[in-house]
Amino acid sequence: MERGNQTGTFEFLLWGLSEQPEQQRILFLLFLWMYLVTVAGNLLIVLAIVTDVRLHTPMYFFLASLSCADILFTSTTVPKALVNIHSQSRTISYAGCLVQLYFFLTFGDMDSFLLATMAYDRFVAICHPLHYTMIMSFRRCSLLVTACWTLTNLVAMTHTFLIFRLSFCSKKVIPDFYCDLGPLMKIACSDTRINELVVLFLGGTAILAPLLLILVSYIRIMLAVLRVPSAQGRRKAFSTCGSHLAVVALFFGTVIRAYLCPSSSSSNSVVEDTAATVMYTVVTPLMNPFIYSLRNKDMKGALVRILRGKVFS
């Protein structure tokens, strides 16, 4: 099919989460609950940071940015999946698919870049505490977040434009509940070698470069903490990194399983891949507010004050 005809009535069929009719109601209620909890939890994190002066620090500035990105990331895929389950329709327009792909890549990469930025913030705080205020000034933090948004938008635009160049034939079923690079390239009937090279280089860099920065930061942090003479000082230093490490492990663990682990074409593998993408796109943004609120005393206190109605006191 020619690309000129695809922008009009051309539609893709999303495989969805399950083909069993009796499971649709359960899936709808489950995903609706997870989506509402994700949005509410991350909004509470942002509200707590904005309204509590004690949380006006670089670490919480980056956390608020991460919560905003998580809300937008989940909103890119879950509402469309809920509409499809409720209406029993699996279609998504060609333009809608490209728009979803663009925002999915933008906010997904934004999470990894922000996690790397937060690791750098912890590195400066622990390894260079005397210069922390000067290095992590508000202007520097704003520039770092702006750079993250700019880079992720450039990566997403590149991938989306290369998908736009492809032609799609009669097989239009996407084996997932949202539009992603891999499934779209599989159903294309034109040459995808350029796309594959760009995904390998640009996509791999967008995942591995932040992960490498995080690993280097925490190796340096660990070496610095081990030189602290008191056990109490070491515990305090590690406690400030515990929440971030838990989120990093959850996020990159699901990303690696969803994108870097090879899978076969068997039905069991499709189910496993779908479960991995659900973990990455839905469960990880859902868990982040719980991890940061349960493991962080300052955040827990700010949330308690909000829920008790003492936001501005």
Side-chain angles (χ1 to χ4, degrees):
M1 182 178 289
E2 297 297 328
R3 189 171 67 246
N5 297 330
Q6 293 172 186
T7 57
T9 59
F10 187 83
E11 292 180 331
F12 293 106
L13 295 175
L14 296 171
W15 182 274
L17 296 162
S18 174
E19 287 188 305
Q20 305 299 324
E22 63 274 10
Q23 295 179 356
Q24 300 305 307
R25 181 176 176 81
I26 298 173
L27 285 172
F28 179 82
L29 293 175
L30 178 62
F31 270 71
L32 178 61
W33 175 81
M34 288 195 294
Y35 178 66
L36 293 176
V37 172
T38 299
V39 173
N42 282 288
L43 280 177
L44 277 174
I45 293 288
V46 174
L47 183 61
I49 292 170
V50 170
T51 56
D52 196 323
V53 179
R54 285 165 290 192
L55 301 183
H56 290 182
T57 63
M59 181 176 75
Y60 294 108
F61 174 72
F62 294 132
L63 177 57
S65 301
L66 180 67
S67 293
C68 290
D70 279 342
I71 293 172
L72 296 171
F73 181 51
T74 309
S75 299
T76 302
T77 56
V78 177
K80 177 60 179 173
L82 291 172
V83 169
N84 285 0
I85 295 173
H86 182 70
S87 63
Q88 297 183 348
S89 170
R90 299 185 177 185
T91 61
I92 184 170
S93 67
Y94 176 77
C97 186
L98 290 184
V99 170
Q100 187 183 65
L101 174 68
Y102 170 76
F103 286 112
F104 175 79
L105 294 174
T106 299
F107 301 130
D109 288 341
M110 188 66 187
D111 268 15
S112 62
F113 278 75
L114 281 174
L115 288 172
T117 306
M118 293 169 77
Y120 174 71
D121 171 70
R122 292 299 83 206
F123 161 72
V124 176
I126 293 174
C127 298
H128 303 283
L130 298 179
H131 303 286
Y132 178 72
T133 306
M134 181 182 67
I135 295 174
M136 302 304 293
S137 63
F138 178 75
R139 182 174 179 273
R140 178 74 59 84
C141 294
S142 300
L143 286 175
L144 286 171
V145 173
T146 302
C148 290
W149 282 108
T150 304
L151 288 172
T152 54
N153 273 276
L154 288 175
V155 171
M157 279 191 288
T158 303
H159 287 306
T160 306
F161 174 74
L162 289 175
I163 291 293
F164 178 74
R165 293 175 58 253
L166 299 179
S167 299
F168 298 90
C169 303
S170 56
K171 185 181 179 182
K172 303 176 294 183
V173 180
I174 299 175
D176 218 325
F177 64 95
Y178 61 93
C179 293
D180 201 1
L181 287 172
L184 284 171
M185 288 191 293
K186 286 180 181 178
I187 63 173
C189 59
S190 55
D191 189 6
T192 61
R193 281 178 295 183
I194 295 177
N195 296 69
E196 291 168 0
L197 287 173
V198 173
V199 167
L200 183 65
F201 175 74
L202 202 57
T205 303
I207 294 174
L208 296 179
L211 181 58
L212 181 63
L213 179 59
I214 291 170
L215 291 175
V216 170
S217 297
Y218 274 104
I219 289 172
R220 297 284 300 275
I221 287 171
M222 193 173 298
L223 293 174
V225 170
L226 291 176
R227 289 196 295 266
V228 175
S230 67
Q232 184 179 359
R234 288 195 294 269
R235 281 197 300 270
K236 184 178 180 181
F238 279 126
S239 67
T240 63
C241 305
S243 300
H244 183 253
L245 277 173
V247 172
V248 166
L250 180 62
F251 178 82
F252 283 99
T254 54
V255 167
I256 290 170
R257 172 58 188 88
Y259 292 104
L260 300 184
C261 291
S263 61
S264 62
S265 58
S266 65
S267 58
N268 288 336
S269 180
V270 171
V271 172
E272 291 173 4
D273 288 347
T274 302
T277 56
V278 168
M279 286 292 296
Y280 166 53
T281 58
V282 183
V283 177
T284 301
L286 170 69
M287 294 302 297
N288 285 356
F290 292 100
I291 293 172
Y292 277 107
S293 60
L294 293 175
R295 293 184 59 88
N296 189 302
K297 190 179 297 183
D298 293 333
M299 179 58 65
K300 192 186 299 183
L303 290 172
V304 168
R305 283 188 289 275
I306 286 178
L307 296 176
R308 288 179 177 175
K310 299 178 180 179
V311 176
F312 301 103
S313 59

